[in-house]
């Protein structure tokens, strides 16, 4: 329950339930991981420190690398990157890929190239087969205007034979699952989907949506960047859902990777202009979009 609350953006409910649990039984390392993860998903820094510090002090539970990773993720996403790095340096155990991955992800959000380099160099040794690490570092360079450095990371991927995982989004309509990739035109309703997508994009632009071009390749023209963002798999699946589900029904989609920042912002607008609740399960958590807002509070 604690973990479930955390994944759905109910961090304070997770912490409250954890305190109820402590009154009944001694929490183990799994319980602590669940509540720290919930705090990380909701940006509850003070609550997380309270739980983390109580592990050894009150319950004789030794923190494991995954507990440290939660704290690094929490501090990093909150913008406290230097504090997160100092925390890593003080760890009594060797930081693993989860710890450095949390720092790298935070560096992507806050555009900190120097700490990203340190995290990436460690990940390229500890987690050399994981394509996400290379892609993330390449994107950090690209979004900072360092295209040559971004290209070097892509070349390193090729040299090591590491291939990027293709993103896809699935949706279930009347007990049948439909899967979309970016720019997908393989579906029987493709013409209708793209026609409706154009209408939806025009509506959300009128409401204030502006595409975030940081989430697309940096070696193409501006107009092409926008077009590439519009056909991300999340948007295609949602439009398909709008066309094929009953009025007022909840649209539920599943993304195999972390939802991109532009799609996250666009879906908030889509939920507002269509009056539909949209629930997305990505690689990290659930996002509940309703009337222009997301349950994650833009903290994910």
């Amino acid at each position: 329950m604690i973990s479930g609350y955390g994944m759905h953006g109910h961090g304070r409910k997770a912490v409250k339930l954890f305190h109820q649990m402590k009154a009944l039984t001694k929490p183990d390392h799994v319980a602590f991981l669940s509540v720290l993860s919930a705090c990380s998903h909701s940006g509850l820094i003070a609550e997380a420190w309270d739980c983390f510090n109580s592990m050894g002090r009150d319950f004789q539970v030794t923190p494991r690398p995954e507990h440290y990773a939660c704290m690094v993720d929490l501090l990093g996403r909150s913008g406290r990157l230097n504090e997160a790095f100092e925390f890593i340096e003080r760890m009594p155990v060797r930081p693993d890929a989860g710890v450095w991955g949390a720092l790298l992800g935070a560096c992507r959000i806050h555009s900190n190239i120097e700490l990203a380099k340190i995290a990436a160099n460690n990940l390229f040794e500890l987690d050399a087969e994981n394509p996400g690490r290379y892609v993330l570092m390449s994107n950090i360079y690209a979004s900072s205007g360092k295209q040559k450095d971004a290209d070097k990371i892509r070349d390193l991927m090729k040299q090591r034979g590491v291939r990027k995982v293709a993103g896809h989004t699935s949706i279930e309509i009347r007990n049948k699952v439909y899967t979309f990739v970016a720019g997908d035109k393989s579906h029987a309703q493709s013409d209708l989907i793209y026609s409706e997508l154009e209408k939806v994009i025009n509506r959300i632009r009128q409401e204030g949506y502006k595409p975030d071009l940081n989430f697309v390749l940096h070696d193409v023209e501006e107009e092409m960047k926008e077009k590439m963002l519009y056909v991300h798999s999340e948007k295609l699946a949602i439009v398909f859902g709008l066309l094929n589900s009953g009025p007022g029904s909840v649209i539920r989609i599943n993304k195999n990777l972390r939802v991109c920042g532009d799609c996250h912002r666009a879906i908030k607008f889509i939920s507002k202009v269509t009056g539909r609740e949209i629930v997305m399960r990505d690689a990290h958590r659930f996002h509940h979009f309703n009337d222009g807002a997301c349950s994650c509070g833009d903290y994910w």
Side-chain angles (χ1 to χ4, degrees):
M1 284 298 297
I2 293 169
S3 179
Y5 273 137
M7 291 185 70
H8 286 273
H10 302 294
R12 296 196 181 280
K13 289 183 179 179
V15 173
K16 182 179 179 180
L17 193 61
F18 179 73
H19 288 317
Q20 291 176 353
M21 177 193 229
K22 288 194 301 182
L24 298 172
T25 185
K26 176 183 175 182
D28 61 8
H29 70 279
V30 177
F32 275 107
L33 182 60
S34 296
V35 74
L36 289 176
S37 178
C39 290
S40 177
H41 281 314
S42 299
L44 303 178
I45 296 176
E47 292 83 351
W49 274 122
D50 181 57
C51 291
F52 183 82
N53 290 330
S54 73
M55 290 180 68
R57 183 190 63 211
D58 301 329
F59 299 100
Q60 294 74 54
V61 176
T62 302
R64 302 185 182 189
E66 52 265 37
H67 299 104
Y68 288 101
C70 282
M71 294 301 298
V72 171
D73 185 67
L74 173 63
L75 293 170
R77 292 188 185 280
S78 300
R80 304 184 182 189
L81 289 168
N82 290 330
E83 189 177 339
F85 183 61
E86 291 170 1
F87 178 77
I88 293 174
E89 290 188 308
R90 295 196 305 269
M91 285 177 56
V93 296
R94 186 189 180 195
D96 66 0
V99 171
W100 291 116
L103 182 64
L104 184 62
C107 289
R108 171 70 171 98
I109 296 170
H110 299 289
S111 303
N112 189 316
I113 293 182
E114 295 309 312
L115 285 181
K117 288 179 184 178
I118 296 173
N121 287 336
N122 281 280
L123 287 167
F124 293 161
E125 292 183 11
L126 294 169
D127 200 17
E129 301 300 315
N130 188 330
R133 314 302 193 186
Y134 300 87
V135 173
L136 196 54
M137 190 64 215
S138 176
N139 289 341
I140 291 171
Y141 277 132
S143 62
S144 301
K146 298 181 179 294
Q147 191 59 47
K148 289 185 178 179
D149 291 315
D151 292 339
K152 288 180 181 178
I153 299 297
R154 299 282 179 166
D155 289 339
L156 180 61
M157 284 183 70
K158 294 178 181 177
Q159 293 171 14
R160 295 185 173 184
V162 180
R163 302 184 66 177
K164 180 182 177 182
V165 176
H168 64 261
T169 303
S170 59
I171 181 170
E172 183 176 337
I173 301 290
R174 289 184 284 278
N175 297 319
K176 184 176 180 181
V177 176
Y178 300 84
T179 301
F180 293 83
V181 296
D184 203 327
K185 292 188 177 181
S186 64
H187 295 257
Q189 292 185 336
S190 284
D191 290 344
L192 184 58
I193 291 170
Y194 278 85
S195 174
E196 184 66 20
L197 175 63
E198 185 176 355
K199 295 176 185 177
V200 170
I201 293 297
N202 288 336
R203 289 179 67 186
I204 65 176
R205 288 189 76 119
Q206 291 174 6
E207 288 290 328
Y209 162 74
K210 293 182 180 179
D212 189 338
L213 304 182
N214 285 319
F215 292 94
V216 73
L217 295 172
H218 288 258
D219 54 354
V220 296
E221 298 297 324
E222 296 288 305
E223 184 178 354
M224 181 57 68
K225 288 182 181 180
E226 290 193 18
K227 290 181 179 178
M228 293 171 71
L229 281 175
Y230 294 158
V231 296
H232 275 192
S233 63
E234 298 97 314
K235 297 182 180 80
L236 294 175
I238 288 171
V239 171
F240 181 77
L242 290 171
L243 290 168
N244 292 278
S245 60
S249 61
V250 178
I251 295 175
R252 303 178 187 276
I253 61 174
N254 186 18
K255 177 74 184 284
N256 68 320
L257 303 175
R258 182 178 182 269
V259 60
C260 92
D262 177 75
C263 282
H264 189 272
R265 187 160 187 266
I267 297 170
K268 288 195 296 181
F269 278 99
I270 294 172
S271 72
K272 182 178 181 180
V273 302
T274 63
R276 303 282 286 272
E277 181 182 354
I278 302 169
V279 179
M280 168 185 278
R281 168 73 162 96
D282 73 359
H284 293 265
R285 62 179 298 158
F286 286 85
H287 298 265
H288 297 257
F289 300 90
N290 207 338
D291 194 28
C294 180
S295 60
C296 73
D298 297 334
Y299 191 96
W300 88 99

